[in-house]
């Protein structure tokens, strides 16, 4: 029982990740989520390329454009915050 | 949304009398503004001793760029007045959200364990100053209690 208890204790993470770094964690969270956002956008663009883009698709084109420019918008703030500050 | 009903406009973008030229101008403006952000790193930038001036400038430039992208690339300029119904309450709520987080940010170190404090990104000196300010806020004037249970390792 004592052995199991010690094993469970060893599984518990400390409140601080040893060797962790707040800036690095923030950096990779921000850029990681941005990368996911970009990847989804590229996937949607690839799907759109297979379609005939006419007036019937105007709504989809508009909304995918809005999604993509949101990715753009995020980078406008991420770039100076992460690389120029 | 304005409808100029140009038969030549096959892309469903009924707005935009100048066609693609407008987007080229916006793109060039975004390039110039990006250059303005980089200008804070040039030797001609007069406020190298005060980084906060450059940071404020860069954020102002970023807000201008965001405005251009939202207005032209995201077509907000050509939306009807209902755009205000969405954007004004959302803007007020976002400001309130930031204000609601200010106490959390300011007092974030108050409940730190010694272990957490040891690994804090912020320097201990700054931490002590903040602790002092918090104690003054609470009207506690005795010697800091957490000095007794300093990290054992």
């Amino acid at each position: 029982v004592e052995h199991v208890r010690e094993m469970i204790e060893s599984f518990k993470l400390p409140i601080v990740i040893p060797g962790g770094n707040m800036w690095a964690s923030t950096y990779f969270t921000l850029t990681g989520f941005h990368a996911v956002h970009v990847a989804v956008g590229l996937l949607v663009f690839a799907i759109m390329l297979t379609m005939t883009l006419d007036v019937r698709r105007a709504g989809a084109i508009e909304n995918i454009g809005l999604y993509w420019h949101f990715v753009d918008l995020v980078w406008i703030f991420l770039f100076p915050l992460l690389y120029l500050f | 949304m304005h409808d100029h009903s140009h038969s030549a406009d096959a892309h469903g973008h009924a707005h935009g009398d100048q066609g693609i030229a407008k987007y080229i101008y916006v793109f060039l403006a975004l390039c110039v503004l990006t250059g303005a952000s980089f200008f804070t790193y040039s030797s001609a930038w007069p406020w190298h001793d005060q980084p906060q001036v450059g940071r404020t400038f860069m954020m102002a430039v970023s807000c201008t760029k965001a405005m251009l992208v939202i207005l032209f690339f995201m077509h907000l300029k050509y939306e009807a007045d209902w755009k205000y119904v969405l954007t004004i309450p959302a803007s007020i709520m976002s400001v309130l959200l930031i204000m609601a987080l200010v106490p959390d940010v300011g007092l974030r170190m108050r409940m730190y364990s010694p272990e957490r404090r040891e690994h804090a990104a912020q320097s201990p000196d700054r931490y002590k100053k903040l602790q002092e300010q918090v104690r003054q806020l609470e009207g506690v004037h005795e010697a800091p209690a957490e000095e007794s249970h300093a990290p054992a390792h």
Side-chain angles (χ1 to χ4, degrees), chain A residues 55-83:
Chain A
V55 170
R56 287 176 301 120
R57 299 267 182 223
I61 295 168
E62 176 78 19
N63 291 333
I64 292 162
L66 284 177
Y67 174 90
W68 187 252
H69 285 299
F70 178 76
V71 181
D72 179 8
L73 216 52
V74 172
W75 189 247
I76 285 174
F77 288 96
L78 277 191
F79 178 67
L81 280 173
L82 296 176
Y83 295 103

Side-chain angles (χ1 to χ4, degrees), chain B residues 84-107:
Chain B
Y84 298 114
V85 178
L86 292 181
T87 53
I88 291 174
S91 303
I92 293 170
M93 286 309 287
S94 66
V95 170
L96 288 178
L97 181 65
I98 291 168
M99 284 164 68
L101 288 172
V102 165
D104 280 359
V105 173
L107 300 175

Side-chain angles (χ1 to χ4, degrees), chain A residues 14-16 22 62 66 69-70 72-73 76-77 79-81 83-85, chain B residues 37-38 41 55 58-59 62 65-66 69-70 73-75 115-116 119 121:
Chain A
I15 192 164
V16 179
M22 181 63 91
E62 176 78 19
L66 284 177
H69 285 299
F70 178 76
D72 179 8
L73 216 52
I76 285 174
F77 288 96
F79 178 67
L81 280 173
Y83 295 103
L84 297 183
F85 267 32
Chain B
S37 285
F38 275 104
Y41 275 77
R55 287 168 188 181
M58 279 189 271
M59 279 300 103
S62 289
K65 286 169 71 179
V69 168
I70 292 168
F73 291 165
M74 297 173 94
H75 306 155
E115 186 199 23
R116 178 73 185 83
H119 291 90

Side-chain angles (χ1 to χ4, degrees), chain A residues 5-75:
Chain A
R5 203 184 61 81
E6 275 175 21
M7 209 169 70
I8 290 169
E9 282 298 311
S10 71
F11 285 147
K12 285 184 185 166
L13 278 174
I15 192 164
V16 179
I17 302 166
N21 179 294
M22 181 63 91
W23 199 89
S25 303
T26 310
Y27 174 88
F28 285 113
T29 305
L30 291 171
T31 54
F33 274 104
H34 187 64
V36 171
H37 211 149
V38 169
V40 170
L42 291 175
L43 188 72
V44 174
F45 283 163
I47 294 167
M48 289 294 280
L49 279 177
T50 66
M51 297 174 174
T52 311
L53 301 178
D54 54 16
V55 170
R56 287 176 301 120
R57 299 267 182 223
I61 295 168
E62 176 78 19
N63 291 333
I64 292 162
L66 284 177
Y67 174 90
W68 187 252
H69 285 299
F70 178 76
V71 181
D72 179 8
L73 216 52
V74 172
W75 189 247

Side-chain angles (χ1 to χ4, degrees), chain B residues 36-55:
Chain B
S37 285
F38 275 104
F39 175 65
T40 59
Y41 275 77
S42 82
S43 54
W45 178 256
W47 295 287
H48 282 294
D49 54 327
Q50 291 166 288
Q52 65 272 29
V53 176
R55 287 168 188 181

Side-chain angles (χ1 to χ4, degrees), chain B residues 123-138:
Chain B
S123 74
D125 292 342
R126 171 126 170 81
Y127 167 80
K128 276 176 191 155
K129 206 169 130 194
L130 276 171
Q131 281 291 89
E132 210 53 55
Q133 286 166 351
V134 169
R135 262 183 232 111
Q136 279 167 9
L137 273 176
E138 293 172 340

